[in-house]
Amino acid sequence: MTDRLGGHALRLCALGSALATVGIVAVLISESWGFFAGLADAGPAGLAGFLRLLNGTLLVAIGAGVIALPLGLGCAVFLSEFASAGTQRIVRPMLEMMAGIPTVVYGFFAVFFVTPLVRAVLPGAGVFSAASASAVVAIMVLPMITSMSERSISNVNPALKEAALGLGATPTEASRRVVVPAARAGIMSSVVLAFGRAVGETMIVTLAAGTTPRFTLNPLESIQTLTAFTLGAGTGDPATGSRPYETVFAVGLVLCAMAVGITAIGRRLTSGGTGAPLTTPAGLHPLPDSAGSGG
Amino acid sequence: MTARVDQGFPASIRERNRSDRIVRRACAAAAVVALAPLVLVAVHALWLGAPHLTLDFFLNAPSSDPASAGIRPLLLGTVWMVALVGLVAVPLSVGSAVYLDAYFPQRRLARILGSNIGYLASVPSVVYGLVGLAVFARGAAMGHTLLAGAATLTLLVLPLLTRATREVVRAVPRAQVEAAYALGATPFQAIRFAVLPGSAGQIAAASLRALSRAAGETAPLVVLGAFTFIALNVTSPLDPLTALPVQVFEWTESTDARFRGLAGAAALVLLAGTLLLNAGATLVHGSSIGRR
């Protein structure tokens, strides 16, 4: 009796998550339906507004990736190949702590520390700049790139490295030319998933990059991202079914589709790649990998 | 193949040893640069916020006057929501993790649901705010209350926690579960006595991390229309939605420079709270491994 009840309760829990997925997509579509229906009337003007936001999002996310990839990969190689066990015991918890910092605290750090720094180094930068946002978003995704890359580097068959050493390679030659290339798929996947997180990041980009939608490739200017636009939904308190309300949901739907698409690419990289699979015994790496993008 | 490899290596071993040292140092430097922000963020918040961390700061309500502004209702709002999220999200996540991985681990449904959860976890938090606005605040007529906030945060944390719990449950040796069945246990008893006891520590750790995440989330609450800058009385979940991270956002965004210190102090409190929850997770997790 308890058994059957327990089974039903457990099934309900699991089905709840399936329901949540369907529900989220259904809500986003139904609430933004009016926007897409009205898009034909609005013409290119409505689309231009959206493209400005997309420009801002990509500028910040690509900038963050460019900064975070070399640092994260270097840190991962250091941890898995060169660091002593003692150093690892210090560095891993630090990375874990970094992953736990609320993004609004990073946003505060961006506004009062990184932005003045960026403006001192690059005099052309404004009070709000995509560069400042990119730098801090890079800091935010670093633990994720590092932990996932380290995991795939550690998973490379040690025989490969030993063979390289046996052929006379120095330790870093073995790492650089044998181990890291073998872990390529996992490293690429970590970067793609980190990019997805950067696309969904809200608080840092709103505080550091501002709310000025524009077409630009200049990281020293203020821009507005898709997420920053969505955040405005709360401050305006638009009435259900109104044009601003539907627009915000349309942007939310696009964000959702982008996040899922990028995650799908990131996963495919590891499942089809030549590198070692990312699956390790659970609990050894408590860092979130593609943990939902922060706000 | 050999030709390509030969080309890539410098001729003399001395040169190769030198580049060996350079690469090592570059990697170590990358690690230092990558970790430096952790110290910088903490020291910077301390530097700006510490002078404002008075007893009054914890006891007063937010106000437009920086001299008397405090965080009491914000702190209470966050504590209420974190508690509610813990009450709902933890049992639900453990339930679905156990169902997916211990109850019927080979089922196709489990595989589909599992990949579903992974995608849910990648949805930006601000989108959860939109869903919460449409479903909880307006659809279910909860309005701008702590309850609507807690429901939205629960929705956000569920996939993260379910995924983490699944990893823990999956790590339980299959033989241990089979042994329980061999002794005549029902599926439910097998879960209760063979799966959960060994993984309780790690599940607790994952839960604490998820709660830390819920405590620091800002974007969904801003989208839900959280109240800041006003004195509120927070005594029940039906009171107006207000939370510490949202006030950190508002104070940071404020053009009035006098709020900068307050933003620092509030950020410091938030940082301390979330790091404590994470540290608790590491403690619990560590001890549970030690016991094995």
Side-chain angles (χ1 to χ4, degrees):
Chain A
M1 184 60 196
T2 354
D3 218 77
R4 200 169 322 146
L5 270 181
H8 284 312
L10 292 178
R11 190 168 305 129
L12 269 181
C13 291
L15 285 176
S17 73
L19 201 72
T21 321
V22 178
I24 285 170
V25 174
V27 165
L28 290 175
I29 290 178
S30 77
E31 303 294 301
S32 64
W33 188 250
F35 173 84
F36 292 110
L39 202 58
D41 306 329
L47 208 60
F50 166 75
L51 289 176
R52 278 194 198 95
L53 298 178
L54 188 65
N55 179 314
T57 291
L58 293 179
L59 188 62
V60 170
I62 292 174
V66 167
I67 299 170
L69 171 61
L71 286 176
L73 184 57
C75 193
V77 172
F78 171 75
L79 263 182
S80 54
E81 300 280 295
F82 309 135
S84 66
T87 312
Q88 288 187 13
R89 264 201 301 278
I90 300 169
V91 172
R92 285 228 177 79
M94 282 181 79
L95 282 170
E96 216 170 284
M97 280 167 83
M98 277 181 81
I101 295 178
T103 54
V104 72
V105 175
Y106 275 130
F108 167 80
F109 179 70
V111 170
F112 297 122
F113 187 89
V114 177
T115 299
L117 201 67
V118 168
R119 297 187 77 189
V121 178
L122 305 165
V127 180
F128 298 110
S129 68
S132 171
S134 287
V136 182
V137 171
I139 295 173
M140 185 201 78
V141 298
L142 258 174
M144 186 176 150
I145 294 187
T146 305
S147 66
M148 289 184 68
S149 299
E150 192 220 332
R151 205 185 303 186
S152 56
I153 291 172
S154 310
N155 274 354
V156 171
N157 189 340
L160 282 177
K161 186 180 182 182
E162 280 154 21
L165 293 175
L167 287 170
T170 64
T172 63
E173 280 166 357
S175 303
R176 221 150 45 94
R177 289 161 189 266
V178 176
V179 180
V180 170
R184 198 175 47 224
I187 293 168
M188 288 299 295
S189 163
S190 81
V191 174
V192 169
L193 292 175
F195 181 77
R197 254 196 100 167
V199 165
E201 166 46 37
T202 311
M203 301 320 293
I204 298 172
V205 295
T206 306
L207 284 168
T211 49
T212 321
R214 63 157 60 100
F215 287 114
T216 181
L217 291 176
N218 180 1
L220 302 181
E221 286 185 299
S222 168
I223 48 93
Q224 186 174 33
T225 62
L226 293 161
T227 49
F229 178 82
T230 314
L231 197 69
T235 43
D237 201 16
T240 304
S242 67
R243 180 89 185 149
Y245 181 85
E246 287 171 350
T247 311
V248 163
F249 273 85
V251 172
L253 184 64
V254 171
L255 270 175
C256 193
M258 282 176 81
V260 169
I262 293 170
T263 307
I265 295 171
R267 285 190 181 182
R268 174 157 274 194
L269 279 174
T270 44
S271 61
T274 50
L278 276 184
T279 45
T280 48
L284 290 178
H285 301 277
L287 279 175
D289 41 359
S290 68
S293 328
Chain B
M1 186 64 196
T2 39
R4 220 184 79 199
V5 171
D6 286 346
Q7 271 170 12
F9 288 88
S12 81
I13 185 70
R14 194 194 271 163
E15 210 170 306
R16 286 169 60 196
N17 278 338
R18 211 187 57 194
S19 78
D20 199 276
R21 275 197 302 276
I22 292 173
V23 172
R24 262 170 207 270
R25 282 191 195 139
C27 287
V32 171
V33 173
L35 292 172
L38 175 65
V39 180
L40 281 176
V41 166
V43 171
H44 175 253
L46 256 174
W47 180 263
L48 285 180
H52 294 263
L53 277 183
T54 57
L55 189 61
D56 280 347
F57 181 71
F58 288 95
L59 295 180
N60 287 357
S63 116
S64 51
D65 171 25
S68 67
I71 56 168
R72 190 175 53 98
L74 308 160
L75 212 51
L76 287 174
T78 292
V79 169
W80 262 113
M81 285 194 285
V82 168
L84 288 172
V85 169
L87 278 177
V88 181
V90 174
L92 272 181
S93 305
V94 174
S96 53
V98 163
Y99 178 74
L100 292 178
D101 290 302
Y103 207 69
F104 290 118
Q106 308 299 326
R107 284 287 193 83
R108 218 182 62 186
L109 175 73
R111 224 179 31 242
I112 296 169
L113 285 181
S115 113
N116 229 324
I117 289 164
Y119 286 114
L120 272 183
S122 73
V123 171
S125 65
V126 70
V127 174
Y128 281 98
L130 287 179
V131 174
L133 181 68
V135 175
F136 300 123
R138 294 189 176 166
M142 290 182 195
H144 305 293
T145 59
L146 290 172
L147 189 62
T152 307
L153 290 180
T154 301
L155 202 61
L156 185 149
V157 155
L158 264 177
L160 300 173
L161 188 51
T162 306
R163 194 175 54 181
T165 316
R166 282 191 69 189
E167 280 195 16
V168 177
V169 171
R170 234 179 296 168
V172 173
R174 192 66 201 153
Q176 197 170 310
V177 184
E178 310 261 327
Y181 283 133
L183 289 172
T186 64
F188 198 69
Q189 285 170 329
I191 289 162
R192 169 74 186 76
F193 296 106
V195 176
L196 289 183
S199 43
Q202 278 173 284
I203 291 176
S207 305
L208 284 173
R209 283 203 184 87
L211 292 185
S212 159
R213 179 76 198 271
E217 274 301 334
T218 318
L221 302 181
V222 174
V223 171
L224 276 176
F227 299 95
T228 48
F229 278 109
I230 48 166
L232 294 164
N233 202 9
V234 175
T235 51
S236 90
L238 292 176
D239 281 325
L241 175 60
T242 187
L244 189 57
V246 182
Q247 187 69 70
V248 175
F249 170 57
E250 300 281 349
W251 274 338
T252 304
E253 215 189 16
S254 165
T255 47
D256 189 339
R258 292 177 302 163
F259 284 113
R260 183 181 298 189
L262 291 176
L268 202 58
V269 174
L270 186 63
L271 193 60
T274 50
L275 287 186
L276 268 179
L277 282 170
N278 273 322
T282 309
L283 267 178
V284 173
H285 180 51
S287 68
S288 79
I289 280 181
R291 240 182 283 127
R292 265 181 212 168

